Amino acid sequence: MAEQTDNTSLWTRYFSYLSPRIRSAVQSMKKADSEKLQEIRIRAGRPLSVTICGKEYFLMISGNLTAYPEQAVRVTKAETEETFRSVCEYSVYSFSKELREGYITLKGGARVGISGTAVYEEGKLSGMRDVSSLCFRLPREVKNCAAGLARETIMMGGGGLLIAGKAGSGKTTMLRDLCRILGSCYRVSLVDTRGEIAGILHGIPQYDVGHHTDVFDGFPRSGGAVMALRSMTPEYIVCDEISTREEADALLQVFGCGVNIIASAHAGSFADIMKRETLKPLIDAGVFTGAALLEDCSKPGSIVSIQKMSALC
């Protein structure tokens, strides 16, 4: 049975990035609401909102939820800028690469999405200015949510597994728990490109990813997978969000050396999986023995169905 881990102490660290008035409202939320908190959305000149069980609510200064924007905390431009500078550790220039990608991963695994006005240099996107919105996506640890997937993976002879779902469906949460379960008895190499799965801080994972799991924190998926193969002789390599042909080619190379691959991809259905050009060479080569489809963001971390890949082809 899945066990919801208490994320309060870790989230308190994330809340410290918020400007004082916003932080006060978030920390005043009822425990029943804060335990299900998924996102905090800060929009300059507009009401503060939070996402709970896939639904967005406005947040009052008292910490109560409301459907009426006029009752909510109205975020000022100064508060947005203050929070943004805090997220960038008061050195925006140091995060220029991350800003080009539209998000910053905080120590511990939370991701902050950022929108604003694009800045171009010599025709290329170089950064962002006049930040208008920040979205804190809060990671959570749900132990045993992947127990069924782990059993299926082992029963399928230890073959590869693809986890598919829409944004906010719990793909990262599922990968984290799979690492924990498989890493209790197999050598697992986790290529944690965005630092969201293990939440490495000073070399130590902030989440339980298994006793036999080695973490390649911040490495690109392609280079990290090949490095893991060469340096750690893993039985499983785990990575998230396959999105480029370069990443697919690296995983094909690893698979050709006898390593099982567990990865995630953005897709809303099994049919969507089969349409993804990036995934096609992996599926054709038999990298994934099975595929799991997750529920939408209203039930993050819940499995709709697990299918053998041969049945989908």
Side-chain angles (χ1 to χ4, degrees):
M1 186 175 180
E3 303 171 10
Q4 178 70 59
T5 302
D6 184 4
N7 300 280
T8 305
S9 59
L10 187 60
W11 288 1
T12 298
R13 182 192 306 158
Y14 301 142
F15 296 162
S16 67
Y17 290 95
L18 304 172
S19 62
R21 195 169 63 109
I22 296 173
R23 185 190 317 136
S24 176
V26 171
Q27 291 181 327
S28 298
M29 292 177 63
K30 295 177 181 177
K31 185 177 181 181
D33 293 330
S34 63
E35 286 178 344
K36 299 174 184 177
L37 186 62
Q38 295 171 302
E39 295 178 342
I40 303 168
R41 289 184 177 266
I42 298 168
R43 300 178 174 105
R46 287 164 289 172
L48 175 66
S49 69
V50 294
T51 303
I52 296 174
C53 296
K55 185 176 180 180
E56 192 170 342
Y57 300 89
F58 297 116
L59 189 63
M60 302 170 66
I61 192 65
S62 62
N64 291 328
L65 308 179
T66 178
Y68 303 101
E70 63 274 11
Q71 296 178 349
V73 174
R74 185 160 291 275
V75 180
T76 66
K77 179 175 175 55
E79 287 173 323
T80 304
E81 291 176 345
E82 180 181 355
T83 302
F84 170 64
R85 289 195 299 272
S86 178
V87 165
C88 293
E89 300 176 2
Y90 299 96
S91 179
V92 176
Y93 179 78
S94 300
F95 287 84
S96 57
K97 177 180 179 294
E98 288 84 352
L99 291 176
R100 288 196 298 271
E101 296 178 353
Y103 68 88
I104 292 173
T105 302
L106 304 178
K107 294 175 181 177
R111 194 202 303 187
V112 183
I114 303 167
S115 69
T117 301
V119 175
Y120 288 88
E121 292 182 6
E122 298 180 354
K124 294 183 179 180
L125 181 65
S126 61
M128 195 182 301
R129 62 177 173 80
D130 296 332
V131 170
S132 57
S133 298
L134 300 166
C135 174
F136 283 71
R137 292 182 61 182
L138 302 174
R140 60 183 66 243
E141 188 173 45
V142 184
K143 291 188 175 180
N144 293 320
C145 68
L149 282 183
R151 283 194 299 271
E152 289 286 337
T153 300
I154 294 169
M155 286 172 63
M156 289 186 293
L161 178 69
L162 181 66
I163 301 174
K166 296 180 180 179
S169 61
K171 296 188 293 295
T172 301
T173 302
M174 197 67 71
L175 285 174
R176 182 182 298 123
D177 198 47
L178 264 178
C179 283
R180 181 186 67 84
I181 296 170
L182 294 176
S184 66
C185 49
Y186 297 98
R187 291 191 307 276
V188 175
S189 285
L190 167 60
V191 183
D192 198 4
T193 302
R194 297 181 300 213
E196 294 180 303
I197 301 174
I200 290 287
L201 183 62
H202 304 310
I204 300 174
Q206 301 303 291
Y207 298 103
D208 185 355
V209 290
H211 300 303
H212 302 291
T213 299
D214 302 299
V215 184
F216 290 78
D217 180 52
F219 284 82
R221 296 173 191 87
S222 53
V226 174
M227 183 180 291
L229 172 67
R230 292 171 177 169
S231 62
M232 291 298 174
T233 60
E235 295 168 274
Y236 287 91
I237 285 182
V238 178
C239 64
D240 64 343
E241 299 288 351
I242 305 170
S243 58
T244 69
R245 184 56 191 262
E246 182 183 8
E247 293 167 357
D249 288 344
L251 294 182
L252 280 172
Q253 179 182 344
V254 169
F255 173 69
C257 295
V259 181
N260 298 306
I261 307 296
I262 295 178
S264 68
H266 187 86
S269 67
F270 287 122
D272 287 346
I273 293 174
M274 308 310 292
K275 293 176 184 175
R276 291 282 302 274
E277 288 298 321
T278 303
L279 299 176
K280 191 175 187 306
L282 297 172
I283 294 171
D284 290 345
V287 171
F288 303 115
T289 307
L293 181 66
L294 304 186
E295 288 275 9
D296 60 24
C297 58
S298 63
K299 296 180 180 179
S302 300
I303 302 169
V304 175
S305 178
I306 304 172
Q307 298 285 340
K308 287 187 176 180
M309 193 62 76
S310 59
L312 300 175
C313 294

